[in-house]
Amino acid sequence: MNNGHFDFKRKTKLICLRNTFIKMILIPFPVIISKMISILISNSVGNNISIVVRCSINAAVVLLFFSVFNFCSELYLKIINSKIINIKKSEFIFSVLSGNLDKLNENSHGTLIEILNKELITFLNVYMYHLPNIIVGVLSVVAYLSIMLISSPIIGISIFALGLLQIIPAFVVKKALEKNYDKCSELEAELTDYVSDGVKGFDTIKLFDLKKWWIDGLVPLHKRYLDVGFKSLKAYAIHDSLNRFIENVLKFGCYVVVGVFIIFNICDIEIGIQDIYLSGGLYSSIAVITRNIPNLFLKKEAEKRIENMLTTSSINSLDKYINEISLKNVNIVYDGKKTIENLNYTFINGDNYSISGNNGSGKTSLLNCISRIIYPSSGTVCIDGDDNYNYIDPSVLLYIPQVDASFSFTSYELFSMLEDDIAEKSIDNAERFGIDKKVIENVAIKDLSGGERKKLFLSIAFAYSPQWLMLDEPYNNLDPRSCELLTTKILRRKNVIIINHYTLCNIGDIKKIRIADGKIFYE
């Protein structure tokens, strides 16, 4: 079900109606101008100079007003539509972050960027531009055709019949666009992830001279993207070529049809001139309709991808006292490899636990599974017999991963996001760990050293003083003094589950377990 914070369809119909109304105001102008031009030309032939001058001035005023209003309305729509896009993007991000975070874990960074910068805008553009254009186009066609039919039914029907040729290009590219849109989105997400990973691992790529290896990995992705892109370009090229061909057919065909009717006295020159001018508006309106229809097909695909990101299970928060954490027949598969196999174990309230094992043995996967960052492939993780949870209050169970988060704001700004008493304790802990006050206040977290970042998040963890504390390699990057302080803090409390290779394994009353070959062994 939807997480309830963000309905991306909310007010889209109102937006569509507002934009349509503004564009509708322009419909009468071409009709008025066409009538003026026909009067102007008929009086020019009859040498009615005063009427010609008066009509010319009126036509110029109407044209000027039309141009100014068209410019102002387009500018207004661009400004207001840009504002709507920014608001919807902010609401989307807030919704994803404030709801069940499982979707963030399931989807890649590139997928999230694609949905935010492409799918959401594709969907909104339908209501801000494409649907209003289609509605106004239909109303314009009705208006222009009605005037033609009143003045000369046979000319009106003939010109309209020619205009229907413009429908062909829209349906020629429909299937190609639908097929390639989804593939393009997926590949763009893959490319974004690949480049993002390359930026993050720039130091490694440079130090080990892996530039050729990285580029070689990019080539097949780029080739697949080009293949899909060329197919889309072909579809658009066919669409544009057909449109240009049909435009020429319509323009010269209209002249021929009206000319023939005038020669055979089916209509007079004044009506012919008026209908030729109106045919331009009629054909333009039909072209607007046919150009915007393909975007309605893309809307369905974009809507599907947005809903998939926003549709999550409800947040089942766990904020009660925990007596035991039980793993029952847990299997975890990561990147196609089974890291944990049929594991059974229970962590009991009141004890501390040290988990060791070789790299890749599944230690981190185990803690990720308990904290619901990931879910077991099979089996259950139960808190006091309950496995129906996807969020744990940090005052009950708090997990500090091995890799610390990197933000562009300062430690002080991070502390200010916490409750007042937690913030005060965090600052005090940070200073005890040896982080300078100026560093806390002025240096962005991403610019801290590895040791300083580790101290920062440990400071927050101990400020919360949770019932259960899970730490993944907390001694990494710490100086000797900080290691001693951390050991002291850990041994003063209970319910610590720690992954480490530090001497803590041999200190104090701590239960030592080892993971090997996906199973738990007691030491």
Side-chain angles (χ1 to χ4, degrees), residues 57-115:
I57 293 171
N58 290 338
V61 170
V62 172
L63 273 171
L64 179 62
F65 182 79
F66 171 77
S67 301
V68 171
F69 184 84
N70 185 45
F71 173 78
C72 292
S73 63
E74 288 295 323
L75 182 61
Y76 169 76
L77 287 176
K78 281 183 180 178
I79 293 171
I80 200 71
N81 289 340
S82 295
K83 185 178 178 181
I84 289 167
I85 287 173
N86 289 330
I87 290 171
K88 289 291 184 182
K89 279 186 173 183
S90 299
E91 288 178 348
F92 174 81
I93 294 169
F94 176 79
S95 176
V96 171
L97 294 178
S98 62
N100 185 344
L101 299 180
D102 288 348
K103 282 290 179 180
L104 278 180
N105 187 52
E106 293 169 10
N107 292 278
S108 68
H109 173 75
T111 300
L112 182 61
I113 294 296
E114 281 301 302
I115 291 174

Side-chain angles (χ1 to χ4, degrees), residues 146-181:
S146 298
I147 293 169
M148 289 181 182
L149 291 173
I150 291 169
S151 59
S152 176
I154 191 168
I155 292 181
I157 292 169
S158 301
I159 289 175
F160 179 69
L162 278 172
L164 292 178
L165 291 172
Q166 291 176 292
I167 296 174
I168 296 171
F171 289 96
V172 167
V173 301
K174 174 182 177 290
K175 283 191 176 180
L177 287 177
E178 285 180 333
K179 186 177 179 181
N180 290 321
Y181 181 84

